[in-house]
Amino acid sequence: QVQLVESGGGLVQAGGSLRLSCAASGRTFGNYAMGWFRQAPGKEREFAAAINWSGGSTYYADSVKGRFTISRDNAKNTVYLRMNSLKPEDTAVYYCAARNTAVGATRQVEYTYWGQGTQVTVSS
C-alpha cells in the first residue's frame, strides 16, 4: 500500500514557475514508477509526466514538454514536478500517481495509487 500526498500548488501569474511535490509513504518507493496527471475544469484528467523507478527515464505530454521537469528523490520518498513558463491553460488540479513496476506509463489505468491532488491556478 502506498499513500501519496501532493503539495506546492497555488496561484501564479502566466510565465511564472511552481514546483509540486508528492510525498509517498512506505519503504519500497524506489520500486514504483511515478506519474503526474492533471484535470482542468470541465475536462477529463490527462497525462502530464512520468518517471521510471530510478529517475533515468522520463516521459512528457507534448503540451508540457520543454516547460515541465519530473524528478524524484528515492531517499526522501518524493517525486517532483517543476513547472516553468506556466500558461493559463495549465490551470488544473494536479495528481501524482504510483504504479508497482519499474517503467513509467502515460495511461491512467496503469497506475494503482493516487493522491488527492493540488490546485494550480495560472492567471493571465
Side-chain angles (χ1 to χ4, degrees):
Q1 189 78 7
V2 175
Q3 292 184 325
L4 305 172
V5 179
E6 302 96 336
S7 62
L11 174 65
V12 63
Q13 288 188 333
S17 298
L18 282 175
R19 189 181 78 160
L20 306 183
S21 299
C22 174
S25 65
R27 290 179 285 181
T28 59
F29 176 72
N31 294 343
Y32 289 79
M34 302 295 295
W36 284 97
F37 291 78
R38 64 185 186 180
Q39 186 167 21
K43 295 186 177 181
E44 294 185 354
R45 191 159 56 184
E46 64 178 11
F47 169 74
I51 191 167
N52 76 334
W53 69 277
S54 67
S57 294
T58 56
Y59 316 84
Y60 296 96
D62 288 343
S63 58
V64 308
K65 198 173 295 183
R67 299 187 299 120
F68 291 11
T69 302
I70 188 171
S71 62
R72 66 189 296 159
D73 185 338
N74 287 347
K76 296 183 178 179
N77 281 14
T78 302
V79 63
Y80 304 98
L81 186 67
R82 176 68 179 183
M83 306 184 295
N84 295 329
S85 302
L86 282 162
K87 305 174 182 180
E89 50 264 44
D90 294 317
T91 295
V93 178
Y94 283 73
Y95 299 89
C96 78
R99 63 192 300 253
N100 191 6
T101 186
V103 180
T106 62
R107 298 191 307 158
Q108 297 181 57
V109 295
E110 303 279 4
Y111 290 84
T112 305
Y113 304 104
W114 292 83
Q116 294 299 306
T118 185
Q119 176 70 49
V120 172
T121 303
V122 184
S123 64
S124 57

